Each structure stands twice: as structure tokens, then as C-alpha cells.
Amino acid sequence: MYDLIEMETQGQPQIYYASLPFQDWSFSYFYTDKGLVFTTFQADALDAFDKRFDKAGVPLLQSNTAADQQFSAYFAGRQTKIDLSIDWHFLSLSDFSRQVLKVLQTVTHRISYSELADRVGKAKAVRAVASAVGKNPVEVVIACHRIVRQSGELGQYRDGVIIKRALLELEGQVGQTASRKNY
């Protein structure tokens, strides 16, 4: 029985995680040797990870100095972009979702879902683009908080609109109107 379990887990990468404070929350990130796989502001980060990646293995608590430095600099307002690898092979995403997230990585300022759909080359697929944005496993790194409704309202966010607003405030983007001028 032990050999069978060992054989089943040999193909699974080891998953690590760490947490950092941001205002009143704890920001947790999960990663493999190839890059980030999940980030969250949820109080029970391990439960959030488990719900997202059923049977992915048990993450081990282990800090990552490079990630800690970049996230700390971002949360202190010293940088606006996180430059860390993402383990795309670990993530179970459709080709369309992967395409949307890759384009989303290039967004530096607040824009609307419609504008993001235009950038993806699927102007009429706004709802599908919004759905792909909502499945973003690595918030902050792929800055889905910068995507807002056409009206300028913030819209939803996986970990709550309060955190979305806090991230936009940190970046100085709360009062901006979502428009093409903000590219």
C-alpha cells in the first residue's frame, strides 16, 4: 500500500507557502520550484488552496526570500509590479483563460472588462473574459484588481471588494476612470 501512495505522489511537485501582512489582512502565497501557483487574502489560506486545488498535496510552510522581498516592497508602495515566475503547468486553465491572464499581466493601470476583452481580441466576449479574470489564481501578481466595470464601479474581487479597493488605493488608482487613456 505504501509503495502505491509513493508512486502516485512522485509526479506531484512539492508545494510551499508563506504569509505576509498587508494592512488588516494576511496575504498568503503558494509556490512550487517552478513558480507561484496561488495567492490569497483569505484568513484560512490552506483551506482556500485546498478548495481550489483538490488533491494537490499538502503545502509546507516555507518562506521564499525573493517572493517575500517583492511582496513586501509592493505592499509598502515601493513598487507596482511583482516579477515572479508562475508555474503555468501546475494550473488547470483552459487555453482561453490562460490567454486572458497572459494579457492581464500587461495591464498596468485600471481598465474596464470591455477594454480587456478588446486587448484579448475578443471584444464581444466580455462575460467570458470577466469569468477568466475571476479564475485568476495569482491575484496581485496578475493584477485582476485593476479590472473594473465600464461604469467605473469596482465590481467583484475573489477576496472581497474591500481588498480590491485597498490594492487600488495602494497603487493610487482609486479615483481614476476606467478608460483607454489609462493604458
Side-chain angles (χ1 to χ4, degrees):
M1 183 75 156
Y2 176 74
D3 291 334
L4 179 61
I5 293 172
E6 186 176 272
M7 286 173 33
E8 287 176 358
T9 59
Q10 282 180 345
Q12 292 280 6
Q14 179 57 59
I15 301 155
Y16 306 95
Y17 77 101
S19 297
L20 298 166
F22 172 62
Q23 295 183 8
D24 295 334
W25 305 284
S26 180
F27 174 78
S28 298
Y29 62 92
F30 294 75
Y31 63 98
T32 67
D33 291 334
K34 294 180 181 175
L36 293 170
V37 296
F38 186 65
T39 61
T40 187
F41 288 96
Q42 295 292 317
D44 189 343
L46 288 170
D47 184 56
F49 178 84
D50 190 46
K51 285 179 182 172
R52 178 79 179 230
F53 301 102
D54 187 33
K55 300 179 184 171
V58 178
L60 299 175
L61 180 61
Q62 179 175 308
S63 188
N64 178 315
T65 304
D68 282 353
Q69 289 174 346
Q70 288 211 34
F71 287 125
S72 293
Y74 174 81
F75 291 134
R78 293 190 307 269
Q79 70 184 47
T80 58
K81 182 169 175 35
I82 305 294
D83 188 23
L84 295 169
S85 297
I86 296 170
D87 186 349
W88 291 101
H89 296 290
F90 181 89
L91 304 173
S92 297
L93 298 168
S94 69
D95 290 341
F96 180 75
S97 290
R98 190 179 308 265
Q99 177 187 8
V100 170
L101 295 180
K102 295 250 183 188
V103 171
L104 184 54
Q105 281 184 288
T106 67
V107 173
T108 59
H109 294 83
R110 209 171 126 158
I111 65 170
S112 71
Y113 289 98
S114 297
E115 292 172 73
L116 180 60
D118 284 344
R119 287 188 184 193
V120 171
K122 304 284 185 186
K124 295 185 182 210
V126 176
R127 286 186 185 204
V129 166
S131 178
V133 170
K135 294 175 185 168
N136 176 13
V138 284
E139 60 192 349
V140 176
V141 179
I142 299 178
C144 55
H145 61 277
R146 294 180 184 145
I147 310 305
V148 299
R149 294 181 177 155
Q150 188 71 32
S151 67
E153 295 174 18
L154 295 185
Q156 298 178 358
Y157 192 64
R158 175 173 31 114
D159 288 335
V161 73
I162 294 170
I163 292 174
K164 184 174 188 171
R165 177 177 295 282
L167 292 171
L168 290 169
E169 285 175 353
L170 176 69
E171 295 176 354
Q173 297 191 50
V174 168
Q176 292 181 1
T177 303
S179 73
R180 294 187 185 275
K181 294 177 187 173
N182 291 336
Y183 282 25

